[in-house]
Amino acid sequence: MSIPVTLIPGDGIGPSIADATVRILAAAGADIAWDRQVAGMAGVARWNDPIPDITLDSIKRTRLALKGPLETPVGDGFRSINVALRKTFDLYANVRPAYTIVPGRFDNVDIVLVRENTEGLYIGVEHYIKIGDDPRAAAESVAIITRLGSERIVRYAFDYAIAHNRKKVTLVHKANILKFSQGLFLDVGRMVAQEYAGRVQFEERIIDAMAMHLVMRPESFDVVVTTNLFGDILSDEISGLVGGLGLAPGANIGATAAIFEAVHGTAPDIAGKNIANPGALILAACMMLEHIGDRERAQRIRSAFETTVRDGSVVPRDLGGTASTDQFTDAIIARLE
Ligand code: NAI
């Protein structure tokens, strides 16, 4: 029976990279019933809402979505897309794998960053403090870390490590300074780690040292788990180790749904030119296949993709070639057989 998945092609280059991804999945024989829905500017054009209820309802039904990049409309009155998705589906784990495809500055990077997505400094509890006549003399932002939130994200990282045959989880924190919030995250992390002792190795790193270790010996890291703000920064740093955002997929895993996406934006400068690299969305679709247990197909697509990229003769402009999106897609499909 085919598996229903909500497809949000997105804005800018979104529709063209989504078409490429759908073609590749079909060529690999994935039996998916795509439920096409709009969001972003396409959502505003059709329903006057960047995250229409009909799209949210579709994800509620399918519990799985593949999402192209979305342009956030400027101006008040529109709901924030990411906030709406995160809140509706409690998308607590942001998973960002990055690995070397073409050896460059580093040859053997293979890191999966697991970022807590709903707590920490990004919860939006902020206010100004008036001193004397100045209403904005100071500002305060609150970071909230909960035992429950810490436990489920660290547990997710360990379960991911076991499911993907990975050896080590590195927990990144700043408990030496932020003794309460980061201290709680670290304490809970150590407790959870004990349950996995003997099966997955555990280590701790302080965020500033981690930033340095990542550029000095990235090959020594495996699964990395951290809080929201640190994860936001480290995930881009890790993408940079393997050639930037063009090949960076991401997954947002929640209690009630999972949404897979390309990490890059809508690339308005190249939209409509048939030159965008669909790689990040293709790799995101592979993560989705793995998530639903179709590992063999995910691996087959990934290996056709990697061989095409390594071969280098039919690759798009951002990977140093001259191929169009369609030609690159055809070259990957040709390697699937
Ligand atoms: P961007 O990622 O769209 O573009 C940055 C640069 O990378 C551009 O030169 C672009 O041509 C290039 N690029 C990006 N993806 C590419 C691909 N697949 N193939 C070839 N080249 C690619 O970032 P920018 O310009 O900051 O944002 C543009 C729009 O995207 C904004 O409206 C922003 O809000 C939105 N955005 C949406 C995201 C999402 O929905 N996940 C994430 C980031 C930005």
Side-chain angles (χ1 to χ4, degrees), residues 13 67 69-71 261-270 276-277 318:
I13 60 171
K67 171 168 104 51
L70 302 174
E71 183 181 338
E261 63 183 357
V263 169
H264 60 70
T266 60
D269 50 332
I270 58 165
N277 176 6
D318 66 305

Side-chain angles (χ1 to χ4, degrees), residues 92 116 119-120 144-155 180-192 227:
Y92 67 90
E116 204 294 321
E119 302 194 333
I144 298 206
I145 303 272
T146 68
R147 184 175 294 283
L148 180 108
S150 304
E151 191 175 329
R152 72 176 173 176
I153 195 68
V154 178
R155 203 175 285 288
F180 287 66
S181 53
Q182 289 288 318
L184 179 62
F185 182 71
L186 177 60
D187 284 349
V188 173
R190 284 176 177 165
M191 233 175 51
V192 172
T227 49

Side-chain angles (χ1 to χ4, degrees), residues 7-333:
L7 177 68
I8 304 171
D11 301 314
I13 60 171
S16 106
I17 60 173
D19 279 353
T21 306
V22 166
R23 276 215 291 137
I24 288 172
L25 262 62
D31 191 7
I32 291 175
W34 297 106
D35 183 15
R36 282 179 185 261
Q37 298 293 343
V38 288
M41 290 314 277
V44 173
R46 177 114 183 254
W47 306 103
N48 197 34
D49 189 345
I51 185 73
D53 286 340
I54 191 169
T55 303
L56 292 176
D57 288 343
S58 168
I59 304 173
K60 280 178 196 159
R61 273 195 314 274
T62 62
R63 296 167 151 247
L64 274 179
L66 183 66
K67 171 168 104 51
L70 302 174
E71 183 181 338
T72 306
V74 184
D76 294 340
F78 288 123
R79 294 192 280 178
S80 155
I81 300 167
N82 288 332
V83 171
L85 289 175
R86 210 181 307 133
K87 284 202 171 150
T88 309
F89 301 107
D90 193 13
L91 302 171
Y92 67 90
N94 181 228
V95 184
R96 297 257 302 258
Y99 65 102
T100 309
I101 295 180
V102 181
R105 198 169 299 166
F106 301 105
D107 293 350
N108 293 307
V109 177
D110 186 5
I111 301 174
V112 178
L113 182 98
V114 177
R115 162 189 172 194
E116 204 294 321
N117 221 9
T118 58
E119 302 194 333
L121 209 46
Y122 283 12
I123 50 167
V125 179
E126 294 191 297
H127 64 104
Y128 290 111
I129 298 166
K130 184 178 175 201
I131 301 177
D133 290 336
D134 185 354
R136 293 183 174 195
E140 184 177 37
S141 305
V142 178
I144 298 206
I145 303 272
T146 68
R147 184 175 294 283
L148 180 108
S150 304
E151 191 175 329
R152 72 176 173 176
I153 195 68
V154 178
R155 203 175 285 288
Y156 184 89
F158 274 98
D159 288 340
Y160 183 100
I162 286 176
H164 294 81
N165 203 19
R166 287 175 172 269
K167 306 286 173 248
K168 185 172 74 171
V169 170
T170 304
L171 181 146
V172 180
H173 66 91
K174 189 72 185 176
N176 52 327
I177 302 293
L178 300 167
K179 293 183 190 297
F180 287 66
S181 53
Q182 289 288 318
L184 179 62
F185 182 71
L186 177 60
D187 284 349
V188 173
R190 284 176 177 165
M191 233 175 51
V192 172
Q194 277 174 10
E195 292 173 31
Y196 295 83
R199 290 184 288 164
V200 183
Q201 222 183 303
F202 176 65
E203 67 178 12
E204 304 162 10
R205 287 277 181 279
I206 293 175
I207 176 66
D208 37 343
M210 181 68 181
M212 180 189 69
H213 290 311
L214 269 173
V215 291
M216 292 189 70
R217 38 182 194 85
E219 52 290 317
S220 67
F221 295 101
D222 194 345
V223 175
V224 176
V225 63
T226 189
T227 49
N228 208 338
L229 168 70
F230 297 157
D232 191 12
I233 299 167
L234 287 187
S235 58
D236 273 25
E237 184 185 356
I238 293 168
S239 304
L241 300 172
V242 297
L245 294 179
L247 296 172
N252 294 286
I253 310 289
T256 55
I259 301 179
F260 299 83
E261 63 183 357
V263 169
H264 60 70
T266 60
D269 50 332
I270 58 165
K273 296 184 178 162
N274 193 21
I275 56 173
N277 176 6
L281 199 61
I282 295 168
L283 293 174
C286 291
M287 292 179 79
M288 184 181 81
L289 290 176
E290 276 172 353
H291 184 79
I292 59 178
D294 198 353
R295 285 196 176 192
E296 180 275 330
R297 204 180 315 275
Q299 196 40 49
R300 202 148 53 84
I301 297 173
R302 206 177 267 136
S303 107
F305 177 77
E306 288 166 12
T307 323
T308 311
V309 171
R310 273 193 212 109
D311 171 76
S313 57
V314 190
V315 293
R317 211 172 56 173
D318 66 305
L319 297 178
T322 56
S324 66
T325 309
D326 292 340
Q327 288 166 332
F328 182 50
T329 307
D330 290 339
I332 298 166
I333 289 173

